[in-house]
Amino acid sequence: MRSDDVKSGYQRAPNRSLLRSLGVTDREMGLPFIGIANAYNTIVPGHVHLRTLTDKVKEGIIAAGGVPFEFGVIGICDGIAMGHEGMRYSLPSRENIADSIELMTEAHRFDGLVCVGTCDKIVPGMLMAAARCNIPSLMLTGGPMLSGYLAGKELSLIDIFEGVGKVAAGTMSESDLQELECCAMPGCGSCQGLYTANTMACVTEAMGMSLPGCAAIPAVDAGKLRIARESGERVVDLVRSNVRPRDIITIDSLINAIRVDMALGGSTNTVLHLMAIALEAEVPFDLGQFNLIGETTPHICHMQPGGPHSMQALYRAGGIPAVLSELSALLADAPTVSGLSIRQIAKAAVVRDANIIRSVHSPVSPAGGLKILTGSLAPDGAVVKCAAVPKGMWVHQGPARVYDGETAAMKAILAREIKEGDVVVIRYEGPRGAPGMPEMLSPTSALMGLGYTRVALITDGRFSGGTRGPCIGHIAPEAAIGGPIALVRNGDLIALDLFKRTLDLLVPDIELGTRRNEWKPRMKPLTGVLSRYAATVSQANQGAVQKLQTG
């Protein structure tokens, strides 16, 4: 066992002495040491209950013959960080999470690892660490929040974000918005729709890195306590059989994960995170594969925000195992941490509500819910959640309204300076330029709340999984390094075609050449984490990971 490095032989008497001070017994010295990376805190609704789940994980580890050691991991709530300077710190936190788990795991020579987290950057950061350390590991995702409820309608956080735009439009009063605010979020768990947190939980399960059914079980359901206990038991089995993350995270399992993402119509952020996880697992993967998978994967679940169904509805319909059962003919028979293969899990599952998990023969759409676009405005790619775009906006051409940053764009939107047909361009919000590639849920929700139906928004930043409408993000190269988005001027025509997967700036090459010669990089005064991040981060099409510096 790896843990023998800290507990075996007379030379390790000092190490054992410290372990004994923790209460480790002679018998336990001979058992597997299991680390538990717990993202519990009291600021993130998706994490406030994780201490209880982690206690159940510990019970399972002890029952199976292991010794649990818990340590803390940071977690940022994207909803609370949204719309201000705090959002610049969200994506960089993913790298911090991966690094901190690696540091604790390698320093203490754990034999196995259970990662307990729920929300947007936390789950991918944990998966990156598991792939990097490559010791027997699994994920326990904390589960979605129950839906809010008011006047006969189920609510989620997006109702509140879009309510801001309705107040600005005069179609909702501030008192009505406050009533919504008090009803939308009834307790612990990740936000209710298929936003980034829940999408990542779903793809984690489809990837085989969490136990069957884990993703959709609500945070407050007793089933989550049971699967936490089972996760603790199972990790000890993984240690004994030496099944490691890179045995699970393979090209086949990543393709399965993307198929499920496409079938659900998940968050655009999964593109960033799956690219980063593949890099840590040393699995060759490129952005173009998302389109290849999407073309052959029907969109079968019409989930919030583009559709009506919450995660609670998906759970009642059978969860991810039921989705796998409907997709089974398309899936590679990859192994999972449960000991069952993906097809074995799919075969045992039942679709309990065909209105929520539809047949591949009667899908919401014949192709997947995400698309990668390329063209003169995004030579290295851009991402759109086509499942949340009305078909009438799949092809659009309009004049650019350019804003250097989200704050300026938000002011213009709320002031009703945007006209129907416009293409709002928000730039210098990419991985390096922001830095931190913030999400744009506030402006996209404001556009929806104000009632715009023919306005597109493009950015080198990101979108929340809660964004809906013709919103295209992750444009690469970003403005800060001189990508074409830096050269756009007010009034330039921009054309998008989701059918052809294109995004073009309709300006002659000669004119763009002149603008490029005049363009100068924008330098922001940076310190601390953001300074280090901006100096080392890769572009969005490469997963926005921090690169090793050479020379």
Side-chain angles (χ1 to χ4, degrees), residues 32 136 234-244 247 336-337 339:
R234 183 60 192 157
V235 75
V236 179
D237 294 334
L238 294 174
V239 170
R240 288 177 175 145
S241 54
N242 197 29
V243 175
R244 304 183 184 202
D247 299 322
T336 75
V337 293

Side-chain angles (χ1 to χ4, degrees), residues 88-381:
R88 304 191 190 285
Y89 291 83
S90 177
L91 187 58
S93 76
R94 184 189 70 179
E95 316 304 304
N96 178 289
I97 290 161
D99 289 348
S100 65
I101 294 173
E102 178 191 4
L103 290 167
M104 291 295 288
T105 298
E106 296 299 341
H108 299 104
R109 312 309 292 161
F110 294 132
D111 299 303
L113 179 67
V114 179
C115 296
V116 185
T118 307
C119 291
D120 300 58
K121 308 308 156 305
I122 295 84
V123 171
M126 288 176 162
L127 288 169
M128 289 165 67
R132 187 187 299 174
C133 297
N134 200 35
I135 66 169
S137 307
L138 57 73
M139 277 290 317
L140 172 67
T141 51
M145 187 185 296
L146 297 180
S147 296
Y149 187 82
L150 179 65
K153 181 189 175 186
E154 287 192 340
L155 302 174
S156 78
L157 181 64
I158 305 310
D159 291 286
I160 313 307
F161 271 100
E162 294 187 3
V164 173
K166 292 178 180 179
V167 170
T171 59
M172 176 183 284
S173 68
E174 289 191 45
S175 61
D176 284 345
L177 178 59
Q178 184 179 22
E179 188 176 15
L180 275 180
E181 171 190 331
C182 294
C183 296
M185 312 297 282
C188 65
S190 48
C191 299
Q192 301 97 329
L194 195 69
Y195 315 140
T196 304
N198 289 323
T199 306
M200 279 308 305
C202 292
V203 300
T204 299
E205 185 177 330
M207 192 188 302
M209 283 298 293
S210 60
L211 294 184
C214 185
I217 301 173
V220 297
D221 194 292
K224 187 60 75 174
L225 296 174
R226 293 192 291 272
I227 207 165
R229 165 79 181 228
E230 292 165 356
S231 295
E233 294 174 359
R234 183 60 192 157
V235 75
V236 179
D237 294 334
L238 294 174
V239 170
R240 288 177 175 145
S241 54
N242 197 29
V243 175
R244 304 183 184 202
R246 295 192 192 185
D247 299 322
I248 305 295
I249 304 172
T250 63
I251 187 66
D252 283 344
S253 73
L254 287 169
I255 290 173
N256 285 344
I258 294 168
R259 284 204 190 281
V260 168
D261 194 3
M262 293 291 183
L264 296 172
S267 166
T268 52
N269 283 314
T270 56
V271 176
L272 278 180
H273 298 324
L274 288 170
M275 293 288 289
I277 292 162
L279 184 67
E280 294 288 1
E282 298 183 356
V283 177
F285 213 78
D286 65 73
L287 203 59
Q289 290 177 268
F290 284 86
N291 277 336
L292 294 175
I293 297 164
E295 287 172 359
T296 57
T297 307
H299 175 208
I300 61 173
C301 298
H302 207 192
M303 304 290 293
Q304 297 172 351
H309 302 310
S310 66
M311 285 296 295
Q312 190 174 349
L314 180 65
Y315 170 62
R316 290 170 176 166
I320 295 304
V323 175
L324 295 174
S325 73
E326 193 54 49
L327 297 175
S328 59
L330 300 173
L331 299 173
D333 199 18
T336 75
V337 293
S338 71
L340 301 172
S341 73
I342 281 289
R343 284 190 180 166
Q344 286 175 315
I345 294 168
K347 186 176 180 179
V350 175
V351 175
R352 299 193 185 101
D353 190 335
N355 293 315
I356 295 169
I357 302 174
R358 298 175 64 166
S359 165
V360 294
H361 304 295
S362 180
V364 178
S365 173
L370 297 174
K371 287 182 183 287
I372 306 300
L373 311 183
T374 55
S376 60
L377 190 50
D380 293 338

Side-chain angles (χ1 to χ4, degrees), residues 378-397:
D380 293 338
V383 184
V384 62
K385 187 173 185 174
C386 56
V389 180
K391 279 296 193 290
M393 282 297 289
W394 276 45
V395 178
H396 181 71
Q397 180 176 306

Side-chain angles (χ1 to χ4, degrees), residues 68-83:
F69 296 92
E70 177 186 352
F71 60 92
V73 176
I74 66 165
I76 289 173
C77 178
D78 280 16
I80 296 173
M82 193 75 67

Side-chain angles (χ1 to χ4, degrees), residues 468-484:
R468 64 188 179 100
C471 302
I472 300 167
H474 305 200
I475 288 178
E478 65 176 297
I481 65 170

Side-chain angles (χ1 to χ4, degrees), residues 396 398-405 408-413 415-427 447 452 455-459 485 488-494 505:
H396 181 71
R401 297 296 302 268
V402 183
Y403 302 95
D404 291 345
M410 189 65 177
K411 287 180 180 177
I413 291 167
R416 304 300 296 268
E417 295 175 8
I418 307 303
K419 305 292 190 294
E420 288 282 18
D422 284 349
V423 179
V424 177
V425 178
I426 304 179
R427 63 189 179 190
L447 288 170
Y452 288 102
V455 171
L457 189 151
I458 69 171
T459 180
I485 192 172
V488 183
R489 294 181 180 175
N490 283 321
D492 288 348
L493 288 180
I494 292 173
L505 175 61

